[in-house]
Amino acid sequence: VIDVEAANGRTIADIGEFALIRAVTALLPTAAHVQVGPGDDAAVIAAPDGRVVATTDVLVENVHFRRDWSSAYDIGRKAAAQNLADLAAMGSRPRTLLLAFAAPGTLPVSWATDLARGFAAEAARAGAVVAGGDMARSDAIVLSVTALGDLEGRPPVLRSGARPGDVVVLAGTTGSSAAGLALLTSGTPALVDVFADLVALHGAPVPSYDAALALAIAGATSMIDTSDGLSSELCHLADASGVALQIHPLFPGVRLMQAATALSADPREWLLDGGEDHAFLATVPPEVVDELGRWALPIGVVAEGSGVTMAGELISPAGWDHFGGRSDAEGRP
Amino acid sequence: VIDVEAANGRTIADIGEFALIRAVTALLPTAAHVQVGPGDDAAVIAAPDGRVVATTDVLVENVHFRRDWSSAYDIGRKAAAQNLADLAAMGSRPRTLLLAFAAPGTLPVSWATDLARGFAAEAARAGAVVAGGDMARSDAIVLSVTALGDLEGRPPVLRSGARPGDVVVLAGTTGSSAAGLALLTSGTPALVDVFADLVALHGAPVPSYDAALALAIAGATSMIDTSDGLSSELCHLADASGVALQIHPLFPGVRLMQAATALSADPREWLLDGGEDHAFLATVPPEVVDELGRWALPIGVVAEGSGVTMAGELISPAGWDHFGGRSDAEGRP
């Protein structure tokens, strides 16, 4: 195994694909459920439940992350987190990640190994390990992540299961990542420092996988992770379940207000429309709300009908369309 | 669902991410083992064996494929094939694919739907379906594929299981894809037409998944797919198994000889070092070789020791290093 530290200052083209794979693999812990790990044609992973939950996301440099804004470590954390959050939003326990990585040959070895460290650290936070991957050459860095989870005998928690009478709950933050992005794009380095906490949450979200699992175990009837923004995900959930969601008034907290004041921005827009927080939005039967107090905040109720209202006012989705920018009515599912 | 034909001439930015996802999803058949398909946070896939075999590959425009050389349909076929081949090389039956797709907004909708059609067609050839994916924006097209397979109660066929006395067999072609690439890069359109069969095999390989499964079921002790070239994969197999491989003399066939003559190229280099054929190289106990005649050709024997010889002459690996070009001794595992 190559000495990663001794590779400092060298590029991935200098050491070559096979040495890089060895260096990265050496950084990654494994686990008993990975019966065959990196190094063969494919991995073999235990699926004791008889089902596997699977999701994939692709992250492209200068679209989903910027090397001058985020460290390799944080980009690795973020890439893992957004896939692990998708697993948890199905009520499944994250177990296994695959990482396909494309980069220019001029990339420093240390960047790639820092990425792997961040990726593995977030995986560990969710109780998952890396079982395989792929490496290729490209002009822009591309990360493609696949995550596999275990339902542990439970039914999957779909977007379509919300029933009138259920309580809408939210586990995690909303608007922080958007505020962090606004701070980064403001061109004011002093603000980036003052609001380092919000900038960090844009660099890599910190989803509470345990909260999502607690919601699933308590009998959540539907769940989704807020990758596209709260208003957009509320509308997804209402549409998929064929119900109306009546959301209580939500207000930006002190920290979002501070950042919004500093930037002369609208904190409510971050709160409702900001993406990439990877909080968990769920509906639960009313009788379990009390026991979930440590995991999630009740923010509304499910009713017959359709559409989403907040304090009686109709909310329209304002999520991100990856090809066309802000989505319009035509472009929505 | 959008009328895909009516979208002719429109770009993916014109119709937006959600409409594109709907259009592509509508083209894809499903199957009973996909318990939750596209549209939720993740897919839920039956794993009746209690294990799942998983592999991922990333393909980057102008590195792994060129839009002016290959049709979208063939690029889809190729992206599916190389992942399905990895599953089959483990002795598992391909069941499920996930496709993450990043592209510029200017891409015609028809290109994306043709890609999906080719991807689904190759999946169907292997008995697999598409269960989910992701779409994102990028300057160059990037495809990232994850494939999941079922071992059906069998042990996985690893690279490390070859035993002295086993017979080395090959199922599929070797050198055809490299010849096709050489023809495409020759700058002679007439040759591309004359050797359309070889060019087509570079555009998309046609692995015999059934042959790989037949080898596994017959008790293959090791298997690998020849993505990096025959010599390279022979060396991988010998190294991983801690054995020597004694390969009989192999000769380029008539078609490779014709193409090599036309290009003044060395057909033996294609045969030994050409990648992307995705044939299956395996070792099997001698007593089953006869029954495997319709699936695979015996090309050598496994012996005590190390290294690979052909007709007594040492073969060194000459596979492709994705960052540094041809790999050297230092760069190999």
Side-chain angles (χ1 to χ4, degrees), chain B residues 214-238:
Chain B
L215 292 169
I217 291 167
T221 52
S222 72
M223 187 152 48
I224 193 168
D225 91 298
T226 62
S227 52
D228 290 344
L230 184 63
S231 62
S232 179
E233 306 295 4
L234 283 165
C235 292
H236 283 313
L237 204 103

mmCIF file with all atom_site columns, all heavy atoms in Angstrom, chain B residues 214-238:
data_model
loop_
_atom_site.group_PDB
_atom_site.id
_atom_site.type_symbol
_atom_site.label_atom_id
_atom_site.label_alt_id
_atom_site.label_comp_id
_atom_site.label_asym_id
_atom_site.label_entity_id
_atom_site.label_seq_id
_atom_site.pdbx_PDB_ins_code
_atom_site.Cartn_x
_atom_site.Cartn_y
_atom_site.Cartn_z
_atom_site.occupancy
_atom_site.B_iso_or_equiv
_atom_site.pdbx_formal_charge
_atom_site.auth_seq_id
_atom_site.auth_comp_id
_atom_site.auth_asym_id
_atom_site.auth_atom_id
_atom_site.pdbx_PDB_model_num
ATOM 1   N N   . ALA B 1 214 ? -23.682 -19.594 -17.189 1.00 0.00 ? 214 ALA B N   1
ATOM 2   C CA  . ALA B 1 214 ? -23.464 -21.025 -17.400 1.00 0.00 ? 214 ALA B CA  1
ATOM 3   C C   . ALA B 1 214 ? -22.140 -21.459 -16.778 1.00 0.00 ? 214 ALA B C   1
ATOM 4   O O   . ALA B 1 214 ? -22.048 -22.531 -16.155 1.00 0.00 ? 214 ALA B O   1
ATOM 5   C CB  . ALA B 1 214 ? -23.486 -21.340 -18.895 1.00 0.00 ? 214 ALA B CB  1
ATOM 6   N N   . LEU B 1 215 ? -21.116 -20.630 -16.913 1.00 0.00 ? 215 LEU B N   1
ATOM 7   C CA  . LEU B 1 215 ? -19.823 -20.947 -16.302 1.00 0.00 ? 215 LEU B CA  1
ATOM 8   C C   . LEU B 1 215 ? -19.947 -20.987 -14.780 1.00 0.00 ? 215 LEU B C   1
ATOM 9   O O   . LEU B 1 215 ? -19.412 -21.888 -14.121 1.00 0.00 ? 215 LEU B O   1
ATOM 10  C CB  . LEU B 1 215 ? -18.774 -19.913 -16.728 1.00 0.00 ? 215 LEU B CB  1
ATOM 11  C CG  . LEU B 1 215 ? -18.376 -19.947 -18.212 1.00 0.00 ? 215 LEU B CG  1
ATOM 12  C CD1 . LEU B 1 215 ? -17.535 -18.717 -18.580 1.00 0.00 ? 215 LEU B CD1 1
ATOM 13  C CD2 . LEU B 1 215 ? -17.602 -21.227 -18.525 1.00 0.00 ? 215 LEU B CD2 1
ATOM 14  N N   . ALA B 1 216 ? -20.649 -20.012 -14.218 1.00 0.00 ? 216 ALA B N   1
ATOM 15  C CA  . ALA B 1 216 ? -20.815 -19.980 -12.761 1.00 0.00 ? 216 ALA B CA  1
ATOM 16  C C   . ALA B 1 216 ? -21.570 -21.213 -12.278 1.00 0.00 ? 216 ALA B C   1
ATOM 17  O O   . ALA B 1 216 ? -21.188 -21.847 -11.287 1.00 0.00 ? 216 ALA B O   1
ATOM 18  C CB  . ALA B 1 216 ? -21.550 -18.704 -12.348 1.00 0.00 ? 216 ALA B CB  1
ATOM 19  N N   . ILE B 1 217 ? -22.658 -21.533 -12.968 1.00 0.00 ? 217 ILE B N   1
ATOM 20  C CA  . ILE B 1 217 ? -23.497 -22.664 -12.557 1.00 0.00 ? 217 ILE B CA  1
ATOM 21  C C   . ILE B 1 217 ? -22.715 -23.982 -12.691 1.00 0.00 ? 217 ILE B C   1
ATOM 22  O O   . ILE B 1 217 ? -22.875 -24.898 -11.883 1.00 0.00 ? 217 ILE B O   1
ATOM 23  C CB  . ILE B 1 217 ? -24.804 -22.676 -13.381 1.00 0.00 ? 217 ILE B CB  1
ATOM 24  C CG1 . ILE B 1 217 ? -25.671 -21.469 -12.970 1.00 0.00 ? 217 ILE B CG1 1
ATOM 25  C CG2 . ILE B 1 217 ? -25.570 -23.984 -13.212 1.00 0.00 ? 217 ILE B CG2 1
ATOM 26  C CD1 . ILE B 1 217 ? -26.831 -21.163 -13.906 1.00 0.00 ? 217 ILE B CD1 1
ATOM 27  N N   . ALA B 1 218 ? -21.832 -24.049 -13.685 1.00 0.00 ? 218 ALA B N   1
ATOM 28  C CA  . ALA B 1 218 ? -21.028 -25.257 -13.887 1.00 0.00 ? 218 ALA B CA  1
ATOM 29  C C   . ALA B 1 218 ? -19.892 -25.377 -12.870 1.00 0.00 ? 218 ALA B C   1
ATOM 30  O O   . ALA B 1 218 ? -19.180 -26.379 -12.853 1.00 0.00 ? 218 ALA B O   1
ATOM 31  C CB  . ALA B 1 218 ? -20.463 -25.271 -15.309 1.00 0.00 ? 218 ALA B CB  1
ATOM 32  N N   . GLY B 1 219 ? -19.707 -24.327 -12.050 1.00 0.00 ? 219 GLY B N   1
ATOM 33  C CA  . GLY B 1 219 ? -18.702 -24.426 -10.999 1.00 0.00 ? 219 GLY B CA  1
ATOM 34  C C   . GLY B 1 219 ? -17.393 -23.721 -11.309 1.00 0.00 ? 219 GLY B C   1
ATOM 35  O O   . GLY B 1 219 ? -16.336 -24.117 -10.803 1.00 0.00 ? 219 GLY B O   1
ATOM 36  N N   . ALA B 1 220 ? -17.449 -22.652 -12.119 1.00 0.00 ? 220 ALA B N   1
ATOM 37  C CA  . ALA B 1 220 ? -16.235 -21.870 -12.384 1.00 0.00 ? 220 ALA B CA  1
ATOM 38  C C   . ALA B 1 220 ? -15.579 -21.510 -11.055 1.00 0.00 ? 220 ALA B C   1
ATOM 39  O O   . ALA B 1 220 ? -16.254 -21.099 -10.114 1.00 0.00 ? 220 ALA B O   1
ATOM 40  C CB  . ALA B 1 220 ? -16.574 -20.609 -13.173 1.00 0.00 ? 220 ALA B CB  1
ATOM 41  N N   . THR B 1 221 ? -14.260 -21.658 -10.973 1.00 0.00 ? 221 THR B N   1
ATOM 42  C CA  . THR B 1 221 ? -13.552 -21.364 -9.729  1.00 0.00 ? 221 THR B CA  1
ATOM 43  C C   . THR B 1 221 ? -13.120 -19.908 -9.647  1.00 0.00 ? 221 THR B C   1
ATOM 44  O O   . THR B 1 221 ? -12.877 -19.386 -8.562  1.00 0.00 ? 221 THR B O   1
ATOM 45  C CB  . THR B 1 221 ? -12.314 -22.268 -9.610  1.00 0.00 ? 221 THR B CB  1
ATOM 46  O OG1 . THR B 1 221 ? -11.553 -22.158 -10.828 1.00 0.00 ? 221 THR B OG1 1
ATOM 47  C CG2 . THR B 1 221 ? -12.731 -23.731 -9.417  1.00 0.00 ? 221 THR B CG2 1
ATOM 48  N N   . SER B 1 222 ? -12.999 -19.242 -10.810 1.00 0.00 ? 222 SER B N   1
ATOM 49  C CA  . SER B 1 222 ? -12.704 -17.809 -10.827 1.00 0.00 ? 222 SER B CA  1
ATOM 50  C C   . SER B 1 222 ? -13.254 -17.243 -12.123 1.00 0.00 ? 222 SER B C   1
ATOM 51  O O   . SER B 1 222 ? -13.451 -17.972 -13.108 1.00 0.00 ? 222 SER B O   1
ATOM 52  C CB  . SER B 1 222 ? -11.202 -17.541 -10.722 1.00 0.00 ? 222 SER B CB  1
ATOM 53  O OG  . SER B 1 222 ? -10.554 -17.904 -11.933 1.00 0.00 ? 222 SER B OG  1
ATOM 54  N N   . MET B 1 223 ? -13.526 -15.944 -12.115 1.00 0.00 ? 223 MET B N   1
ATOM 55  C CA  . MET B 1 223 ? -14.008 -15.301 -13.345 1.00 0.00 ? 223 MET B CA  1
ATOM 56  C C   . MET B 1 223 ? -13.736 -13.804 -13.253 1.00 0.00 ? 223 MET B C   1
ATOM 57  O O   . MET B 1 223 ? -13.713 -13.220 -12.176 1.00 0.00 ? 223 MET B O   1
ATOM 58  C CB  . MET B 1 223 ? -15.499 -15.584 -13.565 1.00 0.00 ? 223 MET B CB  1
ATOM 59  C CG  . MET B 1 223 ? -16.019 -15.080 -14.903 1.00 0.00 ? 223 MET B CG  1
ATOM 60  S SD  . MET B 1 223 ? -17.440 -16.001 -15.583 1.00 0.00 ? 223 MET B SD  1
ATOM 61  C CE  . MET B 1 223 ? -18.554 -16.107 -14.214 1.00 0.00 ? 223 MET B CE  1
ATOM 62  N N   . ILE B 1 224 ? -13.553 -13.197 -14.433 1.00 0.00 ? 224 ILE B N   1
ATOM 63  C CA  . ILE B 1 224 ? -13.294 -11.758 -14.540 1.00 0.00 ? 224 ILE B CA  1
ATOM 64  C C   . ILE B 1 224 ? -13.782 -11.347 -15.914 1.00 0.00 ? 224 ILE B C   1
ATOM 65  O O   . ILE B 1 224 ? -13.787 -12.168 -16.838 1.00 0.00 ? 224 ILE B O   1
ATOM 66  C CB  . ILE B 1 224 ? -11.773 -11.486 -14.362 1.00 0.00 ? 224 ILE B CB  1
ATOM 67  C CG1 . ILE B 1 224 ? -11.457 -10.008 -14.151 1.00 0.00 ? 224 ILE B CG1 1
ATOM 68  C CG2 . ILE B 1 224 ? -10.966 -12.033 -15.532 1.00 0.00 ? 224 ILE B CG2 1
ATOM 69  C CD1 . ILE B 1 224 ? -10.002 -9.772  -13.694 1.00 0.00 ? 224 ILE B CD1 1
ATOM 70  N N   . ASP B 1 225 ? -14.234 -10.102 -16.068 1.00 0.00 ? 225 ASP B N   1
ATOM 71  C CA  . ASP B 1 225 ? -14.587 -9.683  -17.431 1.00 0.00 ? 225 ASP B CA  1
ATOM 72  C C   . ASP B 1 225 ? -13.443 -8.873  -18.009 1.00 0.00 ? 225 ASP B C   1
ATOM 73  O O   . ASP B 1 225 ? -12.706 -8.191  -17.303 1.00 0.00 ? 225 ASP B O   1
ATOM 74  C CB  . ASP B 1 225 ? -15.947 -8.977  -17.475 1.00 0.00 ? 225 ASP B CB  1
ATOM 75  C CG  . ASP B 1 225 ? -15.869 -7.491  -17.301 1.00 0.00 ? 225 ASP B CG  1
ATOM 76  O OD1 . ASP B 1 225 ? -15.404 -7.069  -16.222 1.00 0.00 ? 225 ASP B OD1 1
ATOM 77  O OD2 . ASP B 1 225 ? -16.275 -6.755  -18.209 1.00 0.00 ? 225 ASP B OD2 1
ATOM 78  N N   . THR B 1 226 ? -13.244 -8.988  -19.309 1.00 0.00 ? 226 THR B N   1
ATOM 79  C CA  . THR B 1 226 ? -12.031 -8.444  -19.939 1.00 0.00 ? 226 THR B CA  1
ATOM 80  C C   . THR B 1 226 ? -12.248 -6.981  -20.324 1.00 0.00 ? 226 THR B C   1
ATOM 81  O O   . THR B 1 226 ? -12.199 -6.614  -21.488 1.00 0.00 ? 226 THR B O   1
ATOM 82  C CB  . THR B 1 226 ? -11.632 -9.250  -21.180 1.00 0.00 ? 226 THR B CB  1
ATOM 83  O OG1 . THR B 1 226 ? -12.706 -9.144  -22.137 1.00 0.00 ? 226 THR B OG1 1
ATOM 84  C CG2 . THR B 1 226 ? -11.401 -10.695 -20.848 1.00 0.00 ? 226 THR B CG2 1
ATOM 85  N N   . SER B 1 227 ? -12.461 -6.142  -19.322 1.00 0.00 ? 227 SER B N   1
ATOM 86  C CA  . SER B 1 227 ? -12.660 -4.719  -19.623 1.00 0.00 ? 227 SER B CA  1
ATOM 87  C C   . SER B 1 227 ? -11.354 -4.023  -19.972 1.00 0.00 ? 227 SER B C   1
ATOM 88  O O   . SER B 1 227 ? -11.333 -3.093  -20.757 1.00 0.00 ? 227 SER B O   1
ATOM 89  C CB  . SER B 1 227 ? -13.346 -4.031  -18.447 1.00 0.00 ? 227 SER B CB  1
ATOM 90  O OG  . SER B 1 227 ? -12.656 -4.283  -17.251 1.00 0.00 ? 227 SER B OG  1
ATOM 91  N N   . ASP B 1 228 ? -10.249 -4.457  -19.384 1.00 0.00 ? 228 ASP B N   1
ATOM 92  C CA  . ASP B 1 228 ? -8.967  -3.774  -19.582 1.00 0.00 ? 228 ASP B CA  1
ATOM 93  C C   . ASP B 1 228 ? -8.060  -4.476  -20.585 1.00 0.00 ? 228 ASP B C   1
ATOM 94  O O   . ASP B 1 228 ? -6.912  -4.075  -20.754 1.00 0.00 ? 228 ASP B O   1
ATOM 95  C CB  . ASP B 1 228 ? -8.211  -3.659  -18.247 1.00 0.00 ? 228 ASP B CB  1
ATOM 96  C CG  . ASP B 1 228 ? -8.865  -2.671  -17.293 1.00 0.00 ? 228 ASP B CG  1
ATOM 97  O OD1 . ASP B 1 228 ? -9.690  -1.863  -17.750 1.00 0.00 ? 228 ASP B OD1 1
ATOM 98  O OD2 . ASP B 1 228 ? -8.541  -2.714  -16.101 1.00 0.00 ? 228 ASP B OD2 1
ATOM 99  N N   . GLY B 1 229 ? -8.529  -5.511  -21.240 1.00 0.00 ? 229 GLY B N   1
ATOM 100 C CA  . GLY B 1 229 ? -7.689  -6.236  -22.187 1.00 0.00 ? 229 GLY B CA  1
ATOM 101 C C   . GLY B 1 229 ? -7.319  -7.606  -21.640 1.00 0.00 ? 229 GLY B C   1
ATOM 102 O O   . GLY B 1 229 ? -7.125  -7.788  -20.440 1.00 0.00 ? 229 GLY B O   1
ATOM 103 N N   . LEU B 1 230 ? -7.168  -8.569  -22.548 1.00 0.00 ? 230 LEU B N   1
ATOM 104 C CA  . LEU B 1 230 ? -6.960  -9.951  -22.140 1.00 0.00 ? 230 LEU B CA  1
ATOM 105 C C   . LEU B 1 230 ? -5.696  -10.146 -21.308 1.00 0.00 ? 230 LEU B C   1
ATOM 106 O O   . LEU B 1 230 ? -5.716  -10.799 -20.261 1.00 0.00 ? 230 LEU B O   1
ATOM 107 C CB  . LEU B 1 230 ? -6.919  -10.849 -23.389 1.00 0.00 ? 230 LEU B CB  1
ATOM 108 C CG  . LEU B 1 230 ? -6.797  -12.344 -23.147 1.00 0.00 ? 230 LEU B CG  1
ATOM 109 C CD1 . LEU B 1 230 ? -8.011  -12.870 -22.393 1.00 0.00 ? 230 LEU B CD1 1
ATOM 110 C CD2 . LEU B 1 230 ? -6.631  -13.088 -24.473 1.00 0.00 ? 230 LEU B CD2 1
ATOM 111 N N   . SER B 1 231 ? -4.568  -9.575  -21.756 1.00 0.00 ? 231 SER B N   1
ATOM 112 C CA  . SER B 1 231 ? -3.311  -9.797  -21.030 1.00 0.00 ? 231 SER B CA  1
ATOM 113 C C   . SER B 1 231 ? -3.407  -9.236  -19.621 1.00 0.00 ? 231 SER B C   1
ATOM 114 O O   . SER B 1 231 ? -2.985  -9.866  -18.644 1.00 0.00 ? 231 SER B O   1
ATOM 115 C CB  . SER B 1 231 ? -2.139  -9.161  -21.784 1.00 0.00 ? 231 SER B CB  1
ATOM 116 O OG  . SER B 1 231 ? -2.314  -7.765  -21.896 1.00 0.00 ? 231 SER B OG  1
ATOM 117 N N   . SER B 1 232 ? -3.983  -8.053  -19.521 1.00 0.00 ? 232 SER B N   1
ATOM 118 C CA  . SER B 1 232 ? -4.126  -7.421  -18.223 1.00 0.00 ? 232 SER B CA  1
ATOM 119 C C   . SER B 1 232 ? -5.009  -8.254  -17.297 1.00 0.00 ? 232 SER B C   1
ATOM 120 O O   . SER B 1 232 ? -4.680  -8.475  -16.123 1.00 0.00 ? 232 SER B O   1
ATOM 121 C CB  . SER B 1 232 ? -4.724  -6.029  -18.437 1.00 0.00 ? 232 SER B CB  1
ATOM 122 O OG  . SER B 1 232 ? -4.905  -5.368  -17.228 1.00 0.00 ? 232 SER B OG  1
ATOM 123 N N   . GLU B 1 233 ? -6.115  -8.759  -17.833 1.00 0.00 ? 233 GLU B N   1
ATOM 124 C CA  . GLU B 1 233 ? -7.052  -9.506  -16.988 1.00 0.00 ? 233 GLU B CA  1
ATOM 125 C C   . GLU B 1 233 ? -6.485  -10.881 -16.622 1.00 0.00 ? 233 GLU B C   1
ATOM 126 O O   . GLU B 1 233 ? -6.728  -11.388 -15.521 1.00 0.00 ? 233 GLU B O   1
ATOM 127 C CB  . GLU B 1 233 ? -8.412  -9.648  -17.677 1.00 0.00 ? 233 GLU B CB  1
ATOM 128 C CG  . GLU B 1 233 ? -9.037  -8.329  -18.136 1.00 0.00 ? 233 GLU B CG  1
ATOM 129 C CD  . GLU B 1 233 ? -9.422  -7.362  -17.010 1.00 0.00 ? 233 GLU B CD  1
ATOM 130 O OE1 . GLU B 1 233 ? -9.151  -7.662  -15.821 1.00 0.00 ? 233 GLU B OE1 1
ATOM 131 O OE2 . GLU B 1 233 ? -9.973  -6.298  -17.327 1.00 0.00 ? 233 GLU B OE2 1
ATOM 132 N N   . LEU B 1 234 ? -5.721  -11.487 -17.543 1.00 0.00 ? 234 LEU B N   1
ATOM 133 C CA  . LEU B 1 234 ? -5.039  -12.746 -17.202 1.00 0.00 ? 234 LEU B CA  1
ATOM 134 C C   . LEU B 1 234 ? -4.100  -12.525 -16.025 1.00 0.00 ? 234 LEU B C   1
ATOM 135 O O   . LEU B 1 234 ? -4.046  -13.340 -15.088 1.00 0.00 ? 234 LEU B O   1
ATOM 136 C CB  . LEU B 1 234 ? -4.258  -13.270 -18.413 1.00 0.00 ? 234 LEU B CB  1
ATOM 137 C CG  . LEU B 1 234 ? -5.075  -13.951 -19.516 1.00 0.00 ? 234 LEU B CG  1
ATOM 138 C CD1 . LEU B 1 234 ? -4.240  -14.076 -20.800 1.00 0.00 ? 234 LEU B CD1 1
ATOM 139 C CD2 . LEU B 1 234 ? -5.582  -15.332 -19.072 1.00 0.00 ? 234 LEU B CD2 1
ATOM 140 N N   . CYS B 1 235 ? -3.371  -11.425 -16.052 1.00 0.00 ? 235 CYS B N   1
ATOM 141 C CA  . CYS B 1 235 ? -2.441  -11.128 -14.955 1.00 0.00 ? 235 CYS B CA  1
ATOM 142 C C   . CYS B 1 235 ? -3.191  -10.854 -13.661 1.00 0.00 ? 235 CYS B C   1
ATOM 143 O O   . CYS B 1 235 ? -2.776  -11.295 -12.581 1.00 0.00 ? 235 CYS B O   1
ATOM 144 C CB  . CYS B 1 235 ? -1.545  -9.949  -15.326 1.00 0.00 ? 235 CYS B CB  1
ATOM 145 S SG  . CYS B 1 235 ? -0.385  -10.327 -16.665 1.00 0.00 ? 235 CYS B SG  1
ATOM 146 N N   . HIS B 1 236 ? -4.312  -10.099 -13.749 1.00 0.00 ? 236 HIS B N   1
ATOM 147 C CA  . HIS B 1 236 ? -5.138  -9.872  -12.556 1.00 0.00 ? 236 HIS B CA  1
ATOM 148 C C   . HIS B 1 236 ? -5.543  -11.201 -11.920 1.00 0.00 ? 236 HIS B C   1
ATOM 149 O O   . HIS B 1 236 ? -5.463  -11.395 -10.711 1.00 0.00 ? 236 HIS B O   1
ATOM 150 C CB  . HIS B 1 236 ? -6.431  -9.131  -12.925 1.00 0.00 ? 236 HIS B CB  1
ATOM 151 C CG  . HIS B 1 236 ? -6.259  -7.661  -13.157 1.00 0.00 ? 236 HIS B CG  1
ATOM 152 N ND1 . HIS B 1 236 ? -5.550  -6.851  -12.317 1.00 0.00 ? 236 HIS B ND1 1
ATOM 153 C CD2 . HIS B 1 236 ? -6.742  -6.860  -14.139 1.00 0.00 ? 236 HIS B CD2 1
ATOM 154 C CE1 . HIS B 1 236 ? -5.589  -5.604  -12.759 1.00 0.00 ? 236 HIS B CE1 1
ATOM 155 N NE2 . HIS B 1 236 ? -6.301  -5.585  -13.874 1.00 0.00 ? 236 HIS B NE2 1
ATOM 156 N N   . LEU B 1 237 ? -6.026  -12.095 -12.765 1.00 0.00 ? 237 LEU B N   1
ATOM 157 C CA  . LEU B 1 237 ? -6.550  -13.370 -12.280 1.00 0.00 ? 237 LEU B CA  1
ATOM 158 C C   . LEU B 1 237 ? -5.437  -14.206 -11.646 1.00 0.00 ? 237 LEU B C   1
ATOM 159 O O   . LEU B 1 237 ? -5.610  -14.792 -10.564 1.00 0.00 ? 237 LEU B O   1
ATOM 160 C CB  . LEU B 1 237 ? -7.194  -14.124 -13.443 1.00 0.00 ? 237 LEU B CB  1
ATOM 161 C CG  . LEU B 1 237 ? -8.249  -15.133 -13.052 1.00 0.00 ? 237 LEU B CG  1
ATOM 162 C CD1 . LEU B 1 237 ? -9.638  -14.554 -13.332 1.00 0.00 ? 237 LEU B CD1 1
ATOM 163 C CD2 . LEU B 1 237 ? -8.083  -16.408 -13.830 1.00 0.00 ? 237 LEU B CD2 1
ATOM 164 N N   . ALA B 1 238 ? -4.286  -14.270 -12.329 1.00 0.00 ? 238 ALA B N   1
ATOM 165 C CA  . ALA B 1 238 ? -3.157  -15.039 -11.797 1.00 0.00 ? 238 ALA B CA  1
ATOM 166 C C   . ALA B 1 238 ? -2.700  -14.461 -10.459 1.00 0.00 ? 238 ALA B C   1
ATOM 167 O O   . ALA B 1 238 ? -2.482  -15.206 -9.491  1.00 0.00 ? 238 ALA B O   1
ATOM 168 C CB  . ALA B 1 238 ? -2.012  -15.037 -12.808 1.00 0.00 ? 238 ALA B CB  1
#
